[in-house]
Amino acid sequence: MGTLNYVLRQEKRQEAKEFGKWYARAVHGAEMETDELAQLIQRNASVKRSDVLAVLAELSEVMSDAIQTGRIVVLNGIGRFKAGIATKPASTPKTFTPQKNIVGAHVLFQPEVKKVENKFIKKMLEGIQFTEAVKNDVEKE
C-alpha cells in the first residue's frame, strides 16, 4: 500500500463546462526503470538481478511479437496488453487501403481489476491512500 500525492488545480478554460471548479491532479516523482525494478525483485525473491534483467528483456520481446500478431497478453496481477490502430476514414470499404488509411499503431493497457463490495478496483491501486502535496511557501512576484 502506498500514498500518492496530489495538487489542486483550477479549471481555467472559460469554455469548459466546469470552469472555475477545482480538481486533484496526481504528483509523480522519478521514474522507476528496469534496473531498479530488478534490484527490488532480487531483494524480495530468490533470484539474481542479472536473471531478472534477462527475463524482463525476453518478456519485452515475447510480448512485442505476440501483440504484433493480434494476441492479447495477460500478465496476472498486472493486466492485459493488446494492439490498437489509428485510422483515417475512407468513403467506402473499396477505397480503404492500409497504406493510405492506417496512420499508426499503439499498445492498449487494461489494468487487472477485482470486485470489492460491488466496486471494481484496479489491483495495482488496491489500498492506495491520497495526501495533498506540500506547497512551496515561496511567493512569486
Side-chain angles (χ1 to χ4, degrees), residues 37-50 52:
L37 283 169
Q39 294 272 18
L40 293 170
I41 292 170
Q42 174 183 267
R43 187 184 74 198
N44 296 334
S46 61
V47 291
K48 293 182 182 175
R49 181 183 144 280
S50 58
V52 174

Side-chain angles (χ1 to χ4, degrees), residues 70-137:
R71 307 263 325 254
I72 298 171
V73 176
V74 179
L75 296 180
N76 296 331
I78 296 175
R80 303 160 55 93
F81 299 82
K82 63 183 179 179
I85 56 175
T87 65
K88 292 194 285 190
S91 299
T92 67
K94 281 188 175 189
T95 61
F96 183 94
T97 64
Q99 300 81 6
K100 182 176 68 175
N101 297 95
I102 297 178
V103 295
H106 50 273
V107 175
L108 298 166
F109 171 66
Q110 180 182 20
E112 184 173 304
V113 296
K114 71 182 219 178
K115 195 171 184 178
V116 176
E117 298 175 4
N118 289 331
K119 288 172 57 178
F120 287 99
I121 309 270
K122 291 172 181 69
K123 193 164 182 178
M124 292 173 88
L125 298 176
E126 185 177 6
I128 191 171
Q129 301 291 315
F130 304 98
T131 187
E132 189 170 1
V134 177
K135 292 184 174 110
N136 186 344
D137 290 332

Side-chain angles (χ1 to χ4, degrees), residues 23-62:
Y23 295 90
R25 295 289 182 250
V27 175
H28 300 97
E31 292 180 348
M32 180 182 289
E33 295 190 16
T34 307
D35 195 58
E36 185 179 356
L37 283 169
Q39 294 272 18
L40 293 170
I41 292 170
Q42 174 183 267
R43 187 184 74 198
N44 296 334
S46 61
V47 291
K48 293 182 182 175
R49 181 183 144 280
S50 58
D51 294 332
V52 174
L53 289 171
V55 168
L56 291 175
E58 192 59 30
L59 176 65
S60 174
E61 299 253 342
V62 170

